[in-house]
Amino acid sequence: MGEYSKSAIIKYTRKSLGITQEELSESVCNPVTLSRYESGKIDPSDSKFLRLMEKMGEKGSTFIFQLETSLLEVEDESEKLNKAIEQHDWEEAERIKNNLIQNNNFNLDYFENRQYLQWVETIIQYEQGMINERQVIEKLEEAWSYTCGNINTEEFNMNRIYRETEIIILHEIAIFYKLLGKLDKACVFYENLIKYFERADMVNDTKPIYLIYIGYSNILGVMGEHEKSMEICFKAIKRGLAENKMNYLYNFYYNIGCSLQIKGNDEEKRLAKLYIWTAYQLCQAYPENKRNLEIIKRRYEQFD
């Protein structure tokens, strides 16, 4: 899950609300100390951090975790639920979701929890054929509004620190715009998200940025912008190797292979086969999704 420095959380939450350092620091610390917190020169204690966040109407923990809970068993169940969704195991996802709802410790008074649950239910309902693509977008936009207000792709707020669920919701909305054939609109979401993640003060983010890279490279490939798609993939591979996030890499090797295969001269096709073979080996070693392994295998067999 995403993690952010306390300095970035304080700074960008304050800026997004239009609060001065003097106003925020009053009764908590002096403005000079707050300035040093925001610049990263000193690290605020947990109590100071929470007081500053609560003064801005936020809870610092909501930027770190998907759910508002202090119970490890709830966090563990949510991780299992996320894994079931990644693996397209919808029966298991439904079972875990129902267990979470029945657990009295899963407090739906918190907007963060309601948002997370609506995202999960929306994806499951779509996969079960209960709603269509347009309805998915409407439900996800509603879930987004619980914590962020109405979506405005033209004025994406770069000064806010977004939680993992919020990022994934934007990613899913872009995917469903792609399914509706609105590729340009989907690209706007991804372009804004990549700009957001590539800010200099973003610290140690893992899963969301790789989802964004995958989604954006996929759409660029569909649009025929293969050079740009491969550029995104190479950037993601470099980052993944540096951060030892090997379980995501097969997606990018596969996309590069597909782009090279479509581009089409003999040398590019030879390289395409090598990239897709590498993707297959990585997907076997890091089995995120068995369905993807079969897709890669079928693509590789086209070269024989």
Side-chain angles (χ1 to χ4, degrees), residues 2 9 19 37 57-58 164 175 183 187-188 191 204 206 212 216 223 227-228 245 260-261 264 268 277 279 290 297:
I9 292 172
I19 301 172
Y37 288 161
E58 301 282 0
E164 183 175 313
I175 287 175
L183 302 182
C187 275
V188 172
E191 287 163 0
N204 190 34
T206 55
I212 303 313
Y216 191 32
M223 296 175 72
E227 292 293 340
K228 193 170 180 180
K245 303 301 178 185
L260 288 169
Q261 185 183 21
E268 286 170 333
W277 178 85
K290 291 181 180 179
K297 182 180 179 181

Side-chain angles (χ1 to χ4, degrees), residues 4-21:
Y4 307 91
S5 66
K6 289 180 181 178
S7 61
I9 292 172
I10 295 169
K11 177 180 178 181
Y12 282 98
T13 303
R14 178 182 64 77
K15 282 189 172 183
S16 71
L17 296 173
I19 301 172
T20 67
Q21 289 181 332

Side-chain angles (χ1 to χ4, degrees), residues 17-215:
L17 296 173
I19 301 172
T20 67
Q21 289 181 332
E22 288 75 16
E23 290 170 333
L24 178 57
S25 61
E26 186 178 357
S27 78
V28 179
C29 60
N30 62 59
V32 174
T33 300
L34 177 58
S35 177
R36 296 180 72 191
Y37 288 161
E38 292 189 356
S39 66
K41 291 179 180 177
I42 58 174
D43 196 36
S45 66
D46 288 344
S47 61
K48 290 284 188 186
F49 174 70
L50 289 174
R51 284 180 65 192
L52 289 167
M53 296 308 297
E54 287 169 0
K55 191 169 181 180
M56 293 187 286
E58 301 282 0
K59 293 181 175 66
S61 60
T62 66
F63 294 105
I64 306 300
F65 303 108
Q66 288 185 317
L67 302 176
E68 181 60 35
T69 179
S70 60
L71 298 173
L72 288 176
E73 59 266 31
V74 175
E75 292 175 22
D76 288 343
E77 284 296 292
S78 72
E79 286 297 318
K80 291 176 185 176
L81 176 54
N82 295 341
K83 189 69 174 178
I85 291 172
E86 285 179 3
Q87 296 181 341
H88 293 216
D89 189 344
W90 306 115
E91 184 176 333
E92 178 67 2
E94 179 79 18
R95 183 191 69 78
I96 298 171
K97 181 207 74 172
N98 290 337
N99 284 346
L100 277 173
I101 294 172
Q102 292 164 10
N103 186 333
N104 292 331
N105 295 313
F106 187 69
N107 191 342
L108 291 178
D109 290 336
Y110 289 107
F111 287 119
E112 294 85 2
N113 293 358
R114 288 165 56 190
Q115 181 183 68
Y116 174 79
L117 184 61
Q118 181 151 327
W119 162 63
V120 169
E121 288 182 332
T122 299
I123 299 305
I124 292 175
Q125 286 171 3
Y126 175 77
E127 294 296 338
Q128 293 176 338
M130 298 170 63
I131 56 177
N132 61 31
E133 289 83 359
R134 171 54 61 184
Q135 290 170 316
V136 170
I137 291 173
E138 290 172 356
K139 285 177 173 290
L140 292 178
E141 287 180 343
E142 181 183 12
W144 169 269
S145 72
Y146 292 159
T147 57
C148 300
N150 294 330
I151 287 180
N152 185 343
T153 56
E154 304 302 321
E155 297 181 7
F156 188 81
N157 186 355
M158 295 290 176
N159 290 329
R160 181 188 169 107
I161 301 292
Y162 293 100
R163 294 165 45 253
E164 183 175 313
T165 302
E166 292 162 350
I167 294 295
I168 292 174
I169 285 173
L170 292 182
H171 166 65
E172 297 282 3
I173 290 173
I175 287 175
F176 282 94
Y177 273 124
K178 173 191 170 186
L179 293 176
L180 289 172
K182 298 184 178 182
L183 302 182
D184 289 339
K185 192 157 188 174
C187 275
V188 172
F189 278 89
Y190 284 125
E191 287 163 0
N192 283 330
L193 285 167
I194 285 176
K195 288 177 186 176
Y196 167 77
F197 274 113
E198 292 182 349
R199 290 186 336 206
D201 56 5
M202 192 64 66
V203 178
N204 190 34
D205 203 86
T206 55
K207 177 181 174 180
I209 183 59
Y210 292 101
L211 290 178
I212 303 313
Y213 281 142
I214 292 165

